[in-house]
Amino acid sequence: MASEPTAAAGAPAPQPAAPRRRPPCVLSFSLARDRFLRRRFFSAGLRPFSIRLPSPAGAGTSVHVWAPPRPARRPVLLLHGFGASTTWQWASYLRPLLAAGFDPIVPDLLFFGDSCTLAADRSEVFQATAVKAAMDAIGVRRFDVVGVSYGGFVAYRMAAMYPEAVDRAVMVCAGVCLEETDLAAGLFPVAGVAEAAELLVPSRPADVRRLVHLTFVRPPPIMPSCFLRDYINVMGSDHNQEKTELLHTLINGRKLSDLPKISQPTLIIWGEQDQVFPMELAHRLERHLGEKSRLVVIKKAGHAVNLEKDKEVCKNIVEYLREPILSALNGEK
């Protein structure tokens, strides 16, 4: 590649990513959709890189990142949630962010897309460490971070661990204030970690159908099993055991009293009808962060608010990140 992101001092140089290998599939809607979305990333000026982190901390860790060849404007790190790859979740945000003067940087979290590790650590702390190392490798020292759902857990940890690097945070339906006891108390549509893993790491068309109905206010009226099976085969069949372990580590023993308070101005965006992480968790997070936070509730949207109401969510993100820092801290509207 003619131009690549510049590696930070002492960091491994990012390498152009190898083409993603998918099982052969005849007339695969999911594979066609994936190729179409990847082309949108290329047309927005982003390029894929694979960044191998040094051992022992990296322990065979490779982080796949979409980024401008030489980030030169204000960087915004976009972290995806469980589900399809990062291209499926962030493609519609690229052009508006670029038009607003931002450089979107979009990694695959470990065990999603083309990012992986040999390390045994499954915590969001390790995810945050890996993503920060990747940002260092492409020469990005300060940035804003936006996290959706599970990506919000990682974004929150990055803000807590690297206050000198993260300027502002945006949390989209990210239930970081959940407690393990909430499952038994009936706050969620699942009663335990195993059921949560079955829901979020689907292996059958029926599982995908249930997940879509829980995350969208207006799910597609028709979801043929052949299409859902194709989606699982193409987008959701890798690292299922590791993803299940991520959920166990995330939820087991989790207490709000253990959650640090981050110092950055934080925008909280939530779908009003979120059934995966109900509104109670949005209010908990707002109370936890106090005057440094601001809550925006998106009407007629569920947990997949970043997909259902992408234009509205993106508009809120852009407006918030363009505010003077003092206004954001004071929670002014």
Side-chain angles (χ1 to χ4, degrees), residues 85-86 111 115 140 142 156 162 184 234 249 312-313 322:
S85 70
T86 193
F111 302 119
S115 294
V140 176
R142 295 185 66 87
Y156 195 95
Y162 308 108
V234 175
T249 302
E312 188 173 351
V313 171
R322 294 177 79 175

Side-chain angles (χ1 to χ4, degrees), residues 210-233:
R210 182 190 178 203
L211 179 61
V212 171
H213 278 280
L214 276 172
T215 54
F216 285 81
V217 170
R218 295 182 178 178
I222 300 175
M223 290 182 280
S225 292
C226 59
F227 286 165
L228 300 181
R229 194 173 295 110
D230 172 60
Y231 169 82
I232 293 170
N233 290 338

Side-chain angles (χ1 to χ4, degrees), residues 92-93 216-218 269 271 298-302 304-316:
S92 63
Y93 290 75
F216 285 81
V217 170
R218 295 182 178 178
I269 300 177
I298 307 295
K299 305 291 185 181
K300 298 179 181 179
V305 64
N306 60 308
L307 301 177
E308 275 193 300
K309 296 294 183 81
D310 55 338
K311 292 179 181 174
E312 188 173 351
V313 171
C314 191
K315 180 175 180 289
N316 277 281

Side-chain angles (χ1 to χ4, degrees), residues 182-193:
D182 289 330
L183 278 75
L187 182 62
F188 306 118
V190 296
V193 181

Side-chain angles (χ1 to χ4, degrees), residues 117-139:
T117 183
L118 298 177
D121 196 334
R122 299 291 182 261
S123 68
E124 69 263 40
V125 171
F126 184 69
Q127 292 270 17
T129 302
V131 174
K132 178 60 166 61
M135 294 294 278
D136 290 342
I138 61 175

